[in-house]
């Protein structure tokens, strides 16, 4: 089971840290992806850890240099540190996992296990 948290309302240029807590399994053995869905838009991949092998991280071009994904194995958590937020970052953010990596850039529908979303709103 995955549980995402940490969303909120922030002004443009601000920061938030999202958390994805895993229960029932050790997430350091599995890929964890962060996705987001803006109103009226399709869900898109934001970042992934272990999508491309152990120790790998991947980012969407739109968030490179602003977002950082990390993992705390002791707490069984994955974080998404989001800095310099922009209004276009607004959306519901989800974390997801699977037994094997669907691969960075694969469609969200290829991931089978999802946490509930956490909403991020960035005001201009």
């Amino acid at each position: 089971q995955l549980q995402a948290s940490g969303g909120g309302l922030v002004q443009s240029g601000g920061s938030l840290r999202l958390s994805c807590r895993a229960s029932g399994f050790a997430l350091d053995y599995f890929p964890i992806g962060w996705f987001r869905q803006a109103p009226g838009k399709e869900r898109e991949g934001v970042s992934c850890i272990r999508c491309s092998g152990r120790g790998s991280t991947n980012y969407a071009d739109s968030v490179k240099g602003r977002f950082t994904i990390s993992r705390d194995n002791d707490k069984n958590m994955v974080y998404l540190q989001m800095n310099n937020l922009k209004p276009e970052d607004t959306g519901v953010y989800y974390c997801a996992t699977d037994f094997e990596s669907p691969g960075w850039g694969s469609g969200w529908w290829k991931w089978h296990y999802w946490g509930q979303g956490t909403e991020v709103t960035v005001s201009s």
Side-chain angles (χ1 to χ4, degrees), residues 57-116:
T57 58
N58 302 91
Y59 298 93
D61 288 343
S62 59
V63 307
K64 279 181 182 176
R66 300 189 297 122
F67 290 11
T68 303
I69 192 169
S70 63
R71 181 172 57 207
D72 185 332
N73 292 336
D74 290 338
K75 295 182 178 179
N76 217 25
M77 299 272 281
V78 168
Y79 302 102
L80 186 68
Q81 177 66 43
M82 307 187 296
N83 298 329
N84 190 21
L85 283 161
K86 303 176 180 181
E88 52 264 41
D89 295 318
T90 293
V92 179
Y93 283 68
Y94 302 87
C95 56
T97 190
D98 215 315
F99 289 109
E100 294 185 0
S101 172
W104 174 246
S106 63
W108 61 267
W109 57 90
K110 293 187 177 181
W111 295 73
H112 292 96
Y113 304 98
W114 292 83
Q116 92 292 353

Side-chain angles (χ1 to χ4, degrees), residues 11-91:
Q11 289 187 330
S12 182
S15 297
L16 284 173
R17 188 178 78 160
L18 305 184
S19 300
C20 179
R21 178 184 297 276
S23 57
F25 70 99
L27 58 75
D28 58 331
Y29 292 104
F30 301 96
I32 303 291
W34 281 102
F35 296 78
R36 67 186 179 192
Q37 188 164 16
K41 294 188 176 181
E42 189 173 5
R43 193 171 298 187
E44 63 176 354
V46 176
S47 183
C48 183
I49 192 164
R50 209 185 169 108
C51 256
S52 307
R54 186 177 182 180
S56 69
T57 58
N58 302 91
Y59 298 93
D61 288 343
S62 59
V63 307
K64 279 181 182 176
R66 300 189 297 122
F67 290 11
T68 303
I69 192 169
S70 63
R71 181 172 57 207
D72 185 332
N73 292 336
D74 290 338
K75 295 182 178 179
N76 217 25
M77 299 272 281
V78 168
Y79 302 102
L80 186 68
Q81 177 66 43
M82 307 187 296
N83 298 329
N84 190 21
L85 283 161
K86 303 176 180 181
E88 52 264 41
D89 295 318
T90 293

